[in-house]
Amino acid sequence: MSQPWSPEIAITPLEAREIIEAQFPQLIPVSIAELGKGFDNTVFIVNDMYVFRFPRREIAVQLLSIENQLLPLLVRQLNIVIPEPIFFGQATTDYKWPFTGYKHVQGDSPGVLSDEVRNLSAVPLALFLKKLHQFPIDQAEKMGVPHDRFERMNIGKRKEMLVDNIKKAADLHLVEEDQAALDWLSTMKETKLNTPITLVHGDCHIRNILVNKEGVISGIIDWGDTHLGNPAIDLSIAYSFLPQSGREPFFQKYGEVSNEIKMVAKFFAIYVGFILLLYGHDIKDDQLIASAKESIKLALN
């Protein structure tokens, strides 16, 4: 059965290099290496200076177009580095979708860090999300930023998917069937949480944040899921990345948040953690598996 991250179009580094050299001769000679495969895009590092994202699925094409308009505005407003689009590639006879090149955001995936190190990112993360969530909704709408089209706040639907993923992870011996997670899920309301509405990153989890050599957050990447929706989707990072001791300073700096939104944020931290765990297993990424397990553990505390 096809996985949600299965590509509709696959592109190799050689194919990407030929397209980039043809459209951006100023980058010749192009050195290129695959940086990773997301659900929606294949990502390459070019000349050790730029990151190029080529859509793997058609749904990513419109999202990439929105990023190209939105990110240049956000770059100047946010306290954490985000990708700045500077190369706008066009479809070719061999590759049918447009693509984008960005300034390379420096940093590494967080991996397994101590609580003390994680807590150093609590305030920067809170300030980042506070500013992002204050972006004018009408301005975002004019740029085509969509409202939530995927029923992300349909907790009943998402809970069923999470229970299924917990069982899949247990069957693969990635985790024991986590009764603590299942017990906690039984308290979740099976209703749609529709308000409030803000501009959100939409995919703010451990695979889309970068840290510096000291383990402190240095960048937030992959804005393909940006939409107008509930801030709980982003606030989940307070549960999936920060330990319990880091959440009080996080929410003090971010501002008042209802207990309902906090509960939904915690839910999404666990929900996404199990998706990343299964994805890491599927692509045989041991570091991602370890990071996902750590993320789930943090969220359940």
Side-chain angles (χ1 to χ4, degrees), residues 4 52 59 63 78 200 262 272 299:
F52 276 75
I59 191 174
L63 299 175
L78 300 175
V200 296
K262 286 182 178 180
V272 172

Side-chain angles (χ1 to χ4, degrees), residues 8-80:
E8 295 168 16
I9 292 181
I11 184 168
T12 67
L14 177 59
E15 292 167 336
R17 184 180 69 188
E18 290 175 349
I19 293 172
I20 292 169
E21 288 187 338
Q23 297 193 25
F24 305 106
Q26 68 270 37
L27 298 180
I28 296 175
V30 167
S31 65
I32 190 168
E34 186 176 291
L35 197 58
K37 294 185 180 77
F39 283 27
D40 297 332
N41 298 279
T42 303
V43 185
F44 301 96
I45 182 76
V46 171
N47 294 355
D48 296 320
M49 296 175 61
Y50 309 107
V51 168
F52 276 75
R53 294 169 70 210
F54 285 77
R56 290 159 54 85
R57 301 195 297 158
E58 188 170 9
I59 191 174
V61 177
Q62 180 187 5
L63 299 175
L64 209 61
S65 174
I66 293 169
E67 281 188 49
N68 291 343
Q69 300 177 68
L70 179 64
L71 294 189
L73 294 179
L74 293 179
V75 162
R76 298 190 291 270
Q77 299 183 29
L78 300 175
N79 62 304
I80 296 175

Side-chain angles (χ1 to χ4, degrees), residues 74-107:
L74 293 179
V75 162
R76 298 190 291 270
Q77 299 183 29
L78 300 175
N79 62 304
I80 296 175
V81 179
I82 65 173
E84 182 177 359
I86 52 177
F87 298 106
F88 305 98
Q90 303 301 313
T92 71
T93 54
D94 297 319
Y95 181 81
K96 65 179 182 179
W97 294 327
F99 58 97
T100 302
Y102 310 77
K103 291 181 181 178
H104 180 39
V105 178
Q106 300 294 325

Side-chain angles (χ1 to χ4, degrees), residues 68-298:
N68 291 343
Q69 300 177 68
L70 179 64
L71 294 189
L73 294 179
L74 293 179
V75 162
R76 298 190 291 270
Q77 299 183 29
L78 300 175
N79 62 304
I80 296 175
V81 179
I82 65 173
E84 182 177 359
I86 52 177
F87 298 106
F88 305 98
Q90 303 301 313
T92 71
T93 54
D94 297 319
Y95 181 81
K96 65 179 182 179
W97 294 327
F99 58 97
T100 302
Y102 310 77
K103 291 181 181 178
H104 180 39
V105 178
Q106 300 294 325
D108 299 302
S109 296
V112 177
L113 303 170
S114 69
D115 287 0
E116 291 75 17
V117 170
R118 289 176 183 274
N119 284 342
L120 296 174
S121 295
V123 169
L125 264 174
L127 291 173
F128 174 88
L129 291 178
K130 181 177 182 178
K131 188 67 176 179
L132 176 65
H133 294 168
Q134 290 173 340
F135 190 87
I137 292 176
D138 58 345
Q139 189 174 354
E141 288 176 329
K142 288 178 182 178
M143 287 185 285
V145 178
H147 287 259
D148 183 5
R149 297 172 293 181
F150 300 112
E151 293 189 299
R152 291 175 175 89
M153 292 298 125
N154 186 335
I155 302 304
K157 175 182 176 182
R158 300 286 166 178
K159 189 195 314 189
E160 290 179 3
M161 296 168 68
L162 174 52
V163 170
D164 186 51
N165 283 338
I166 292 172
K167 292 178 178 177
K168 287 179 181 177
D171 289 343
L172 292 168
H173 305 291
L174 296 170
V175 294
E176 296 181 5
E177 188 161 335
D178 199 320
Q179 194 59 45
L182 296 173
D183 288 345
W184 186 83
L185 282 175
S186 69
T187 68
M188 287 295 301
K189 297 177 182 179
E190 297 188 14
T191 57
K192 294 181 181 180
L193 184 64
N194 294 317
T195 55
I197 300 297
T198 65
L199 176 68
V200 296
H201 177 280
D203 208 19
C204 195
H205 57 67
I206 55 170
R207 202 163 186 260
N208 289 335
I209 64 176
L210 302 175
V211 297
N212 59 23
K213 293 180 180 179
E214 288 73 42
V216 180
I217 189 164
S218 60
I220 296 182
I221 60 174
D222 195 348
W223 289 71
D225 281 316
T226 301
H227 65 277
L228 294 168
N230 195 287
I233 200 82
D234 285 351
L235 295 174
S236 63
I237 195 66
Y239 296 89
S240 63
F241 181 70
L242 297 177
Q244 194 172 46
S245 56
R247 291 169 197 156
E248 183 176 352
F250 174 91
F251 285 111
Q252 282 181 345
K253 188 60 66 173
Y254 176 84
E256 185 176 351
V257 174
S258 70
N259 289 333
E260 184 182 35
I261 289 179
K262 286 182 178 180
M263 179 176 284
V264 173
K266 180 173 180 175
F267 168 80
F268 273 100
I270 300 167
Y271 174 82
V272 172
F274 273 95
I275 290 176
L276 294 177
L277 182 61
L278 293 171
Y279 179 53
H281 176 268
D282 195 60
I283 65 173
K284 299 178 175 58
D285 187 331
D286 291 338
Q287 181 178 341
L288 179 55
I289 290 172
S291 296
K293 288 181 178 180
E294 184 73 6
S295 180
I296 294 166
K297 180 180 176 182
L298 286 169

